[in-house]
Amino acid sequence: MATTGPGDPGGDAPGGARERPPAPAPDTRPGPDRGGSAGPGDEFRRGLEETLRRYTGRRCEEAGGIDGLFRARPAADVARFTLHGGKRRRAAFLWWGWRAAGGRPGDGDEVTALRLAGALELLQTCALIHDDLMDDSALRRGRPALHADLARRHRHDGMLGSSQAYGASMAILAGDLALAWADDLFAEALPEGPAGRRIQEPWRAMRTEMVAGQFLDLHTQAEGGFSAPAALRVAHLKSALYTVERPLQLGATLRGAPPELVGALRFAGRRAGLAFQLRDDLLGVFGDPRRTGKPAGDDVREGKNTYPAALALARAEALGDTEALAVLRGSLGDRTLTPQRLARFREVLTALGVRAAVERRIERLSALALDRIDRACDDPVVRRGLADLVRAATGTQPL
């Protein structure tokens, strides 16, 4: 398999009810655009939430014109999922890519930038709903994953058939609906002329890359092998491109940035995106569910070919550490893994130096991204906004 690493370029209402999608919950999470005083990204956050609220509300009204139950179930589920929770990370990278290319609040293309950012959030809704289903994850953002909640509704209402099959099928449809809404909003937001044509290319590429990354993730897991290069390839497609590089490219391209700036932002975005995925891999093993909103150890129980797992196996084999190999092989892919055995798995990763090695790689990748941002962006407000966003995504601290 080819590898691409950091050095490469490149509530249920009755059937006739007219249920409105819920308003977004107040956002109290820390971050570059949220604090005790107004920050340079506050306008973006408010504008994005209003854009999403208005758009999902309109689409739910349209769904109600088709069928009241269709509106009350999948349409309202998509709106609720999109409006409640989420760090808006991809949307924020698009916004700061636009800002890096000279965009300012109040400019004529600000509404377009916000609508493109909203399309990214709806695409993320699709990705997360489907990802939770494929991974059989019980939680998302500290609440039941959509397929699990739909299965619960099936049981509660005394419906016929398998609640699990119903939940899975309905989650697939909800994810498909989110994808359709994302593409519709993107198409509505496209400016006329060359700018619109330029933006279509990264959007098309990003959607296909995201699916390719998910495919490779599932396929390598089914094969049962563990390879650090293959893990980095998946991370490149699922996170480096989708989470950071392509959103930055979309924002900068909208504003008509010169190729040199677009290239610099993509360079920084690819490295920051890979660091983000490596951080997510570590949190999947060592994270606190009260902070991550997801159960700890799910990647281990599923036997996922994450970079930390592949690196640990390679190091244990190189050292001839049979005890560590027994723990690693006995844990990966074991759905019955207990908290005690997960704790032992963590101990082995720490003893092998894997946790420290991955932390160092995250720091190096983040430093490369921050250095390129610092050299490419003249506006100190933009430099700070992008740097804060990179640090928040990668879990690194200012130097």
Side-chain angles (χ1 to χ4, degrees), residues 1 7 10 48 86 94 106 135 169 171 182 204 225 229 299 312 324 351 361 363 394:
M1 181 179 294
L48 175 64
L94 185 149
D135 291 347
S169 298
R204 286 197 300 263
D299 287 351
R361 188 160 196 168
E363 291 285 350
T394 61

Side-chain angles (χ1 to χ4, degrees), residues 37-239:
S37 58
D42 286 341
E43 304 94 336
F44 158 71
R45 184 74 187 202
R46 288 192 297 266
L48 175 64
E49 298 302 337
E50 180 65 12
T51 298
L52 287 170
R53 186 188 67 78
R54 287 179 178 274
Y55 184 74
T56 57
R58 173 163 67 86
R59 298 312 300 264
C60 283
E61 289 289 339
E62 293 172 1
I66 298 171
D67 182 82
L69 184 58
F70 177 62
R71 171 187 174 142
R73 292 294 175 94
D77 282 335
V78 170
R80 185 180 300 108
F81 192 104
T82 303
L83 295 174
H84 285 259
K87 297 179 177 63
R88 310 300 193 212
R89 183 168 283 132
R90 291 152 193 84
F93 276 114
L94 185 149
W95 169 264
W96 285 108
W98 177 76
R99 291 291 309 270
R104 296 293 180 270
D107 286 355
D109 56 351
E110 179 188 12
V111 172
T112 301
L114 289 171
R115 299 185 82 194
L116 292 176
L120 270 178
E121 285 301 312
L122 284 162
L123 183 62
Q124 176 69 350
T125 293
C126 165
L128 293 181
I129 290 173
H130 285 173
D131 192 61
D132 286 344
L133 176 59
M134 286 182 275
D135 291 347
D136 195 22
S137 297
L139 294 176
R140 169 64 63 180
R141 298 170 178 167
R143 295 188 291 269
L146 183 58
H147 68 279
D149 186 53
L150 289 164
R152 176 198 61 78
R153 295 187 210 174
H154 181 281
R155 291 190 297 270
H156 178 270
D157 293 346
M159 299 173 74
L160 302 178
S162 164
S163 59
Q164 286 76 20
Y166 175 88
S169 298
M170 292 300 155
I172 291 171
L173 290 176
D176 289 349
L177 185 61
L179 176 59
W181 286 4
D183 276 338
D184 290 347
L185 180 54
F186 178 83
E188 290 178 16
L190 275 181
E192 295 181 356
R197 291 191 291 272
R198 288 194 303 267
I199 294 168
Q200 289 183 60
E201 186 277 325
W203 177 262
R204 286 197 300 263
M206 177 183 63
R207 290 177 305 161
T208 302
E209 290 157 356
M210 179 182 70
V211 175
Q214 186 68 14
F215 159 74
L216 291 173
D217 192 13
L218 292 170
H219 185 73
T220 53
Q221 180 181 339
E223 285 183 322
F226 289 86
S227 160
L232 290 175
R233 177 61 171 164
V234 170
H236 163 70
L237 290 167
K238 285 186 67 175
S239 292

